[in-house]
């Protein structure tokens, strides 16, 4: 008997997560200069990293011989002050992906289920399946979460519901009142994971006061990340906020040093860099307008997005050919057929010049495929 055949069937059935193509890989494949390539494929911050965070991380380099503070004391203190939560309500993660996985480890097992929406973030089915639990994908409504249908999909075995707001890759948004109504109606023995990875890209008037809801709903877990608006995707820091009992269980199953010392130092500094987040927000607003205007001029349908990315539908459904042409022109976007959206491509809002290059290359790609 082959050892790998003895691995649980639910592990062997996992389709690996497909990340955006790295610039270096495309450069190798096409024999291109890396500098001539633009990557708008992974919702990274086109402004780079918060300068305050960068400075703090460079200083932290001096101490990499030492283990990080496994409790993340300073970062938790900073988060606790910023969000008015107690330190024991915080779970730090190696990116918020880690936090999502920790929650699944705590609450899921074979026989249990998790509910999420069709077209929702790919990590939800992944972490569910990795625990041998079953995933219940609820058909989307206008590409967004259908919260009523998701509520109806909850069974006595359901232990988790994942909600991304805004959702990736569709960019759809749920208003606070709809989320509250869901929390009020869903059984208190189901953990509701509210993934707010793109929260900082919402106008402040649209940001739900979700953290205040933690007092009312001990079955709520909010996840946030330093990967997007803070520009720290490569250093991997995210966090979860929940009732102390929930975060306590999650902290038991995490690796003792799951967040590295450079990331911890960077995140503390990034939190203070309100100016950088403001600039990132403003650039995203203008870039989103630039891209949507350009797409409309090209006659391309898109799903209005509240994140730092946008999914657009390629006429005739030849997204594969358009993507290939974009790659040949040195523009990396994200095919999203694994999200059951084979006719769409997702583009991250970049710098003004990158958005312009993307739009020009897309026009050429469409011309080629016509
Ligand atoms: C990018 C993203 C995250 C963040 O992932 P990290 O592990 O924090 O880098 C979480 N949720 C969604 C929906 C995302 O798109």
């Amino acid at each position: 008997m082959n050892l790998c055949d003895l691995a649980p069937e639910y592990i062997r059935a996992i389709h690996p997560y497909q990340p955006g193509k790295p610039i270096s890989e495309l450069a190798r494949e096409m024999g291109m200069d890396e500098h001539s390539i633009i990557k708008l494929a992974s919702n990274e911050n086109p402004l780079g990293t918060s300068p305050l965070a960068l400075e703090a991380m460079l200083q932290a380099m001096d101490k990499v011989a030492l283990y990080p503070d496994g409790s993340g004391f300073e970062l938790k203190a900073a988060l606790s002050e910023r969000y008015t939560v107690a330190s024991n309500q915080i779970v730090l993660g190696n990116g918020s992906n880690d936090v999502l996985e920790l929650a699944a480890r705590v609450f899921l097992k074979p026989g249990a289920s998790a509910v999420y929406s069709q077209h929702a973030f790919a990590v939800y089915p992944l972490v569910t399946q990795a625990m041998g639990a079953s995933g219940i994908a609820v058909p989307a409504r206008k590409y967004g979460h259908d919260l009523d249908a998701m509520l109806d999909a909850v069974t006595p075995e359901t232990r988790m519901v994942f909600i991304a707001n805004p959702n990736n890759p569709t960019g759809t948004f749920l208003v606070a009142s709809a989320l509250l109504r869901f929390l009020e109606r869903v059984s208190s023995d189901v953990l509701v994971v509210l993934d707010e990875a793109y929260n900082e890209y919402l106008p402040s008037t649209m940001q739900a006061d979700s953290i205040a809801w933690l007092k009312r709903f001990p079955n709520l877990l909010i996840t946030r990340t330093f990967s997007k608006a803070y520009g720290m995707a490569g250093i991997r820091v995210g966090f979860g906020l929940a009732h102390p009992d929930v975060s306590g269980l999650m902290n038991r199953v995490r690796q003792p040093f799951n967040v590295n010392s450079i990331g911890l130092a960077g995140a503390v500094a990034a939190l203070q860099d309100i100016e950088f987040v403001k600039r990132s927000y403003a650039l995203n607003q203008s870039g989103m307008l630039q891209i949507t205007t350009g797409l409309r001029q090209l006659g391309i349908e898109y799903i209005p997005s509240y994140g730092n990315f946008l999914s657009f539908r390629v006429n005739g459904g030849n997204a594969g050919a358009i993507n290939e042409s974009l790659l040949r022109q040195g523009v990396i976007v994200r095919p999203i057929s694994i999200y059951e959206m084979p006719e769409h491509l997702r583009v991250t809002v970049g710098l003004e010049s990158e958005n312009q290059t993307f739009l020009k290359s897309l026009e050429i790609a469409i011309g080629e495929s016509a």
Side-chain angles (χ1 to χ4, degrees):
M1 188 52 127
N2 183 313
L3 169 65
C4 292
D5 292 338
L6 295 169
E9 153 51 30
Y10 56 81
I11 298 290
R12 285 181 289 134
I14 292 176
H15 297 286
Y17 180 81
Q18 295 170 343
K21 190 187 270 289
I23 287 179
S24 54
E25 189 180 309
L26 183 64
R28 258 195 322 274
E29 285 174 3
M30 302 265 181
M32 286 175 181
D33 179 358
E34 291 199 11
H35 299 288
S36 69
I37 295 174
I38 60 171
K39 184 184 175 206
L40 300 173
S42 300
N43 302 346
E44 293 147 338
N45 193 325
L47 289 177
T49 306
S50 142
L52 292 186
L54 213 53
E55 175 63 32
M57 290 193 282
L58 286 170
Q59 283 189 19
M61 280 295 280
D62 264 358
K63 300 226 172 78
V64 289
L66 307 178
Y67 278 100
D69 170 9
S71 74
F73 179 84
E74 271 190 67
L75 178 53
K76 281 187 180 172
L79 289 168
S80 160
E81 188 181 320
R82 165 65 58 86
Y83 295 115
T84 11
V85 291
S87 278
N88 67 357
Q89 293 185 267
I90 305 172
V91 184
L92 302 180
N94 184 37
S96 57
N97 270 252
D98 189 24
V99 178
L100 298 171
E101 191 183 330
L102 293 174
R105 289 247 289 280
V106 167
F107 293 102
L108 298 181
K109 62 181 179 184
S113 68
V115 168
Y116 41 77
S117 175
Q118 179 191 21
H119 312 312
F121 189 41
V123 167
Y124 312 151
L126 253 178
V127 299
T128 301
Q129 197 176 354
M131 293 307 299
S134 48
I136 303 175
V138 176
R141 218 175 64 202
K142 295 185 191 160
Y143 294 108
H145 293 47
D146 182 342
L147 289 182
D148 288 334
M150 288 175 74
L151 190 68
D152 289 343
V154 169
T155 75
E157 285 70 45
T158 303
R159 292 280 76 82
M160 294 178 81
V161 174
F162 291 95
I163 299 174
N165 197 41
N167 181 46
N168 170 21
T170 58
T172 49
F173 174 74
L174 295 158
V175 295
S177 58
L179 290 168
L180 256 184
R181 209 171 109 81
F182 182 88
L183 283 163
E184 282 162 354
R185 290 160 73 203
V186 74
S187 162
S188 62
D189 58 19
V190 173
L191 182 77
V192 178
V193 180
L194 183 57
D195 179 345
E196 298 186 321
Y198 299 98
N199 185 259
E200 292 82 3
Y201 284 112
L202 291 170
S204 55
T205 51
M206 289 180 79
Q207 289 172 349
D209 198 6
S210 51
I211 293 169
W213 302 344
L214 291 170
K215 291 203 177 71
R216 271 182 75 193
F217 303 104
N219 59 329
L220 173 62
L221 168 67
I222 296 167
T223 61
R224 300 271 182 99
T225 183
F226 286 92
S227 296
K228 306 284 157 59
Y230 293 103
M232 293 170 55
I235 207 81
R236 314 300 304 130
V237 190
F239 61 97
L241 306 174
H243 186 279
D245 292 349
V246 170
S247 45
L249 285 173
M250 290 171 64
N251 274 316
R252 281 190 226 180
V253 298
R254 72 177 172 84
Q255 289 179 33
F257 304 108
N258 64 332
V259 186
N260 69 79
S261 51
I262 297 178
L264 287 171
V268 169
L271 263 189
Q272 313 311 319
D273 203 343
I274 309 226
E275 154 67 21
F276 181 78
V277 175
K278 257 193 196 155
R279 265 202 295 142
S280 302
Y281 169 83
L283 183 78
N284 189 58
Q285 290 288 111
S286 61
M288 185 66 85
L289 184 63
Q290 182 189 1
I291 291 181
T292 52
T293 305
L295 289 178
R296 249 179 281 136
Q297 281 166 357
L298 293 172
I300 291 179
E301 249 177 72
Y302 59 86
I303 307 168
S305 170
Y306 295 88
N308 66 340
F309 56 88
L310 176 86
S311 289
F312 57 96
R313 188 171 167 279
V314 175
N315 301 341
N318 48 353
I322 298 291
N323 185 48
E324 289 301 318
S325 170
L326 288 173
L327 288 174
R328 279 195 304 274
Q329 298 178 69
V331 176
I332 312 178
V333 298
R334 188 70 153 267
I336 47 175
S337 50
I338 60 150
Y339 288 95
E340 296 181 28
M341 296 171 68
E343 300 190 345
H344 285 78
L345 294 171
R346 190 194 70 194
V347 62
T348 301
V349 176
L351 300 171
E352 187 183 358
S353 57
E354 294 174 324
N355 301 334
Q356 198 181 350
T357 303
F358 157 70
L359 288 166
K360 270 201 189 128
S361 306
L362 182 61
E363 187 174 8
I364 292 171
I366 289 169
E368 284 173 3
S369 78

